[in-house]
Amino acid sequence: MSLFDTHQEDTDDEEENNVNEQEQTDSADVAFVAKLKSSRTLASILKTIDFADDAIFCALTTGVKIIVEDKQCVQGNAFIDTRVFDSYELVRQVRFRFHLETVLNCLNIFGVPLDPVTHEPLPTNVAVQIHYRENQTHPLQLYLEEDGVITECLIKVLDDTDTIDFDFQTENIVSKVVFKASGFKEALSEIDLKADCIELFITQDVPHFRLIANGCGGSTSVDITQDSPVMDTFLCTEPVHNRKEIDQKCLENLKTIVDVTSTRIVLSSSWRFFPKSRAKVESSFKQIGIDPLLGWTSSRGKTRVDEIYHWLKDFDNKTIHEDIFITKWIAIDDMDLFKLDAKRMQDHFVMTMPLNGITEETIKEAIMLLS
């Protein structure tokens, strides 16, 4: 054998070893692989919670959980059991944040064919395989196949963020109602959800479930009985009546805090996003003798704590007529801001309970922190 042939053989062996090493490296990076026969299944599920820019993807031993959260006051969860997938391999648990619209565009990259008469989506045979590879520039990889044509989508992921843990108690449940989504959506379209006050009734007697919206233009209501095709599950051990409005007792307790500590109020709850809600707060303050809002936080930042600190940083007393200098401040909220950021909320947070609001205990704690 010639020297050239020997060298060529050695080179071939070296290339083969490099390929094997690369395959082993790629295999080591793979943390999660799953396959669905229809990409539309995943796209349809994502569309149901498409109300924010980003989503959290969690690959668990039981399936995939996708979390969408908006302003840390609304959260949507979608869970896809492992049995839904045609194949599901989880090397280690995965959690990352991704841009929702980007993934939806990738899943629909072949388009959505519509029936020419009904304009309903037609069945497709686009399969999708999901890979998550660690230590990659584009760790999320989608492979879509239709009629032998394979499209590879390489997607960058975003830094993970904490989500609110809504600790719903499973004990002492007095009522539980489960609706079929499409029917309930149609029922809600009959009332004004932006009304000043929305009342919820759940009773053991007909109509069983009632929503009433009260606004300047009058009242609208929707009733859903237990035997309605819209209702899937109904449980009621005692009547429930909730009314979405400002509680007068809580307002009086807030005034006590303001009067004792000479503080001004900045709105940081989700009410700040709606002009009518802010106007209602201002009106309630005026009636009880609380100074107008000093302002409200923006949506800058990943958490409500970030939003508060952005407001504090941007605050400029020169923009208002009064000389206001911030020496001490607190946040009163039924969202656990201390859990979100214990360091920054230390000595700045008083937590309330959704059912009780601002109580006598809240007053004492708030005055202590502001004194």
Side-chain angles (χ1 to χ4, degrees):
M1 185 177 291
S2 68
L3 181 61
F4 178 80
D5 289 335
T6 304
H7 176 73
Q8 182 65 43
E9 187 176 273
D10 291 343
T11 303
D12 290 343
D13 290 342
E14 185 178 341
E15 288 179 355
E16 185 177 345
N17 289 334
N18 289 338
V19 170
N20 290 335
E21 288 176 5
Q22 182 63 41
E23 288 178 350
Q24 290 174 2
T25 302
D26 290 345
S27 178
D29 287 340
V30 175
F32 170 70
V33 178
K35 184 177 181 180
L36 281 166
K37 286 182 180 178
S38 174
S39 62
R40 185 175 294 174
T41 301
L42 182 57
S44 298
I45 292 171
L46 291 179
K47 286 290 288 183
T48 63
I49 52 174
D50 182 19
F51 57 83
D53 293 336
D54 303 332
I56 302 290
F57 184 101
C58 306
L60 311 170
T61 54
T62 53
V64 169
K65 183 179 182 181
I66 300 168
I67 306 168
V68 175
E69 196 170 86
D70 188 25
K71 313 303 179 189
Q72 296 204 318
C73 60
V74 179
Q75 188 181 95
N77 291 272
F79 180 75
I80 311 172
D81 193 278
T82 54
R83 291 169 293 184
V84 175
F85 293 91
D86 297 288
S87 63
Y88 189 91
E89 298 177 27
L90 182 66
V91 178
R92 45 194 166 272
Q93 289 193 358
V94 169
R95 179 185 168 106
F96 59 87
R97 188 164 59 97
F98 65 95
H99 190 256
L100 196 53
E101 196 64 29
T102 299
V103 172
L104 281 170
N105 288 337
C106 290
L107 292 172
N108 294 318
I109 201 165
F110 287 108
V112 181
L114 301 177
D115 186 286
V117 179
T118 64
H119 300 290
E120 292 291 325
L122 293 172
T124 61
N125 58 344
V126 180
V128 60
Q129 194 168 79
I130 309 165
H131 289 220
Y132 184 80
R133 297 176 181 271
E134 297 173 332
N135 306 316
Q136 300 281 331
T137 306
H138 302 84
L140 178 59
Q141 301 170 3
L142 302 181
Y143 298 90
L144 296 107
E145 180 183 0
E146 183 181 41
D147 299 330
V149 178
I150 299 175
T151 300
E152 180 186 38
C153 301
L154 305 180
I155 304 169
K156 288 185 177 180
V157 298
L158 308 171
D159 293 335
D160 188 16
T161 55
D162 292 332
T163 52
I164 297 298
D165 181 14
F166 289 95
D167 185 17
F168 295 111
Q169 297 181 359
T170 56
E171 300 177 353
N172 303 321
I173 296 176
V174 297
S175 63
K176 179 180 179 180
V177 183
V178 179
F179 294 103
K180 294 178 180 176
S182 58
F184 189 54
K185 180 181 179 181
E186 185 177 343
L188 289 179
S189 66
E190 298 179 12
I191 66 171
D192 180 12
L193 293 177
K194 293 184 179 180
D196 294 332
C197 175
I198 295 179
E199 293 183 77
L200 165 68
F201 294 88
I202 301 176
T203 63
Q204 295 157 315
D205 303 318
V206 176
H208 300 123
F209 181 91
R210 170 176 288 173
L211 278 176
I212 302 176
N214 300 306
C216 298
S219 297
T220 55
S221 65
V222 60
D223 293 342
I224 303 176
T225 59
Q226 184 178 355
D227 56 359
S228 168
V230 175
M231 192 174 291
D232 186 74
T233 303
F234 180 81
L235 168 68
C236 181
T237 57
E238 60 182 72
V240 173
H241 176 207
N242 289 322
R243 184 180 175 93
K244 177 192 166 187
E245 61 178 356
I246 298 175
D247 185 272
Q248 190 64 27
K249 180 60 179 175
C250 291
L251 203 57
E252 292 171 0
N253 289 341
L254 178 62
K255 186 177 187 305
T256 301
I257 297 172
V258 170
D259 290 345
V260 172
T261 59
S262 300
T263 52
R264 293 291 298 273
I265 297 174
V266 177
L267 196 61
S268 61
S269 73
S270 57
W271 284 52
R272 71 191 192 275
F273 295 115
F274 308 101
K276 287 179 67 176
S277 298
R278 293 200 304 266
K280 188 174 181 65
V281 171
E282 294 274 23
S283 175
S284 300
F285 281 6
K286 185 176 181 180
Q287 289 176 8
I288 202 169
I290 297 177
D291 287 334
L293 290 170
L294 187 59
W296 50 86
T297 57
S298 67
S299 56
R300 291 167 59 196
K302 297 177 181 178
T303 69
R304 186 165 291 182
V305 176
D306 291 337
E307 293 166 354
I308 291 171
Y309 269 83
H310 275 301
W311 187 92
L312 289 167
K313 183 180 178 181
D314 295 341
F315 177 74
D316 183 359
N317 64 292
K318 294 179 182 178
T319 62
I320 54 178
H321 297 296
E322 305 153 90
D323 290 327
I324 296 179
F325 299 92
I326 300 174
T327 56
K328 290 186 178 181
W329 65 271
I330 61 169
I332 301 176
D333 208 316
D334 59 10
M335 180 187 294
D336 194 347
L337 304 184
F338 193 79
K339 185 178 179 180
L340 285 177
D341 196 325
K343 184 177 180 180
R344 289 195 291 175
M345 295 310 296
Q346 182 70 40
D347 298 327
H348 292 298
F349 178 54
V350 178
M351 187 166 181
T352 61
M353 293 294 107
L355 293 177
N356 303 324
I358 300 176
T359 62
E360 294 293 334
E361 288 300 317
T362 310
I363 295 174
K364 293 176 184 177
E365 191 174 352
I367 292 174
M368 180 186 70
L369 290 175
L370 290 170
S371 299

